[in-house]
Amino acid sequence: MKNKSLISIHDLSKEEIYEILDLAEKFEQKPKQRILRDYIVATLFFEPSTRTRLSFESAANQLGARIIGFSDASNSSVQKGESLKDTIMTVSLYSDIIVMRHPIEGSARLASEVSDVPIINAGDGANQHPTQCLLDLYSIRKTQGTLDNLNIALVGDLKYGRTVHSLVEAMCKFNATFHLVSPDILKLPSSVKQHIKDAHLKYEQYTDLEDVTDKVDILYMTRIQRERFSEPMEYERVKNAYILHNNMLDNSKPNLRVLHPMPRVNEINEDVDCNPKAYYFQQALNGVYVRQALLSNMLGVEPENK
Ligand code: CP
């Protein structure tokens, strides 16, 4: 992937996915190594973030890189009316790689077309979140021992959840069976469902979470994305559609793990946190290793222990 941008999970072959996950394992064994001390990483966040921005910055810091950027575009010249194109062309003069999150779908692709340095899409609207997808895959492989032939339930906002869109596309490469749990108005978009159909894989749609808890290996909970709704009343109607409680896992498979890209609002009750099947905080930590793997791979720098 050296000098290539990462805009969609679709950009990666199965072999490239395995390469990143294997590299992330090496960084998990030795996360602090100053192999990127000659590099500058720019993080441009036009939308709020805790995990993605800070795990990228932690990853870069632990590898000795320096970091520039903003976490709030209102403190940048965007506030004065500067275009995304001009912003990216400028920051690409100051940095070796750009990590960006933006509310508009396709913005990362546009950025990659005008940038002299690789762009990493850290989320573009409701479209894609490929680095989250890679850490989700890392977490799934680590907990299940494989990515192949798994039953995965995706629960909540399947319409606007960009992490869901990326993960469905990725799991189509690994012969998954999909259990899609959502309110009627938040079903998986047909364009994403088409990937499942094209791969000739099985999927079922449900409205009741308890119909799937005893069937699956991975229970991937998601937040209802309030910021994507044009009608606040519609959000109010579905905001509490799914709340996972600890006792709902009583009959789940022994290998089941609960994942969530986070942040959660109330879709996983805190009584689940002490259940050994809860994996969402470890999942967030895995983001550091996966992002170390991405930064080093895209900048063409080998880890010390490779
Ligand atoms: N998973 C994720 O994208 O979290 P943040 O919005 O906190 O970055």
Side-chain angles (χ1 to χ4, degrees):
M1 289 178 64
K2 189 181 172 197
N3 294 328
K4 276 170 52 183
S5 291
L6 176 59
I7 306 303
S8 161
I9 198 65
H10 209 63
D11 296 340
L12 298 181
S13 66
K14 197 168 166 177
E15 291 67 35
E16 286 172 318
I17 289 173
Y18 279 131
E19 187 185 352
I20 294 297
L21 303 191
D22 293 347
L23 198 48
E25 278 182 355
K26 295 190 189 320
F27 283 111
E28 181 168 0
Q29 286 158 24
K30 190 178 177 190
K32 292 188 198 307
Q33 40 179 301
R34 299 182 62 76
I35 56 172
L36 297 187
R37 61 187 169 279
D38 295 331
Y39 293 87
I40 296 175
V41 177
T43 56
L44 307 185
F45 278 69
F46 299 82
E47 257 194 350
S49 167
T50 297
R51 274 146 293 272
T52 309
R53 184 174 68 82
L54 295 179
S55 65
F56 259 117
E57 294 188 359
S58 177
N61 265 302
Q62 292 187 64
L63 298 183
R66 280 152 297 160
I67 296 155
I68 60 171
F70 51 75
S71 57
D72 179 355
S74 67
N75 291 328
S76 76
S77 286
V78 170
Q79 183 68 10
K80 303 173 201 162
E82 185 168 50
S83 67
L84 177 64
K85 180 180 170 200
D86 287 0
T87 302
I88 295 295
M89 285 176 72
T90 305
V91 176
S92 75
L93 302 173
Y94 302 154
S95 59
D96 299 294
I97 191 163
I98 297 174
V99 180
M100 68 170 274
R101 171 173 289 185
H102 197 282
I104 297 177
E105 293 181 22
S107 52
R109 182 76 63 195
L110 170 77
S112 71
E113 285 163 6
V114 300
S115 174
D116 286 335
V117 301
I119 299 286
I120 299 180
N121 180 7
D124 61 327
N127 185 31
Q128 282 275 323
H129 195 345
T131 71
Q132 176 70 42
C133 180
L134 288 163
L135 79 89
D136 293 342
L137 295 174
Y138 187 80
S139 301
I140 293 170
R141 187 172 78 163
K142 195 167 168 190
T143 60
Q144 306 298 317
T146 180
L147 288 172
D148 293 316
N149 307 320
L150 296 172
N151 273 274
I152 178 167
L154 297 128
V155 182
D157 190 342
L158 309 190
K159 179 178 179 183
Y160 296 119
R162 56 193 172 200
T163 69
V164 169
H165 303 163
S166 295
L167 188 56
V168 168
E169 273 196 46
M171 289 303 285
C172 281
K173 297 179 197 285
F174 299 99
N175 197 37
T177 299
F178 297 93
H179 303 266
L180 308 173
V181 186
S182 72
D184 280 337
I185 62 164
L186 296 177
K187 282 185 172 168
L188 195 70
S190 49
S191 59
V192 183
K193 225 177 279 169
Q194 192 60 43
H195 291 287
I196 305 177
K197 293 178 184 168
D198 289 346
H200 307 289
L201 297 175
K202 290 191 222 123
Y203 73 93
E204 283 199 58
Q205 299 185 97
Y206 311 77
T207 51
D208 190 343
L209 170 57
E210 299 206 57
D211 285 347
V212 303
T213 45
D214 61 348
K215 287 190 171 85
V216 298
D217 307 300
I218 294 292
L219 186 59
Y220 191 90
M221 301 295 296
T222 65
R223 176 177 68 90
I224 308 290
Q225 308 258 307
R226 183 182 56 192
E227 65 276 26
R228 312 276 179 228
F229 282 72
S230 49
E231 284 296 327
M233 280 310 295
E234 280 206 343
Y235 170 72
E236 289 299 319
R237 272 201 292 277
V238 294
K239 69 178 184 185
N240 292 322
Y242 304 109
I243 302 178
L244 181 69
H245 291 272
N246 198 30
N247 61 5
M248 292 163 70
L249 299 175
D250 285 351
N251 296 321
S252 61
K253 292 169 72 169
N255 63 308
L256 173 112
R257 291 295 177 275
V258 180
L259 271 59
H260 191 313
M262 308 280 262
R264 71 173 150 184
V265 182
N266 59 0
E267 55 281 353
I268 301 180
N269 191 281
E270 286 188 13
D271 71 358
V272 181
D273 294 358
C274 293
N275 190 315
K277 294 176 179 175
Y279 195 73
Y280 26 92
F281 286 105
Q282 181 67 40
Q283 181 187 359
L285 172 60
N286 291 339
V288 174
Y289 313 131
V290 167
R291 287 166 175 139
Q292 287 184 312
L294 280 169
L295 289 172
S296 64
N297 186 278
M298 293 172 75
L299 290 168
V301 180
E302 306 262 312
E304 284 169 0
N305 57 349
K306 196 173 178 184

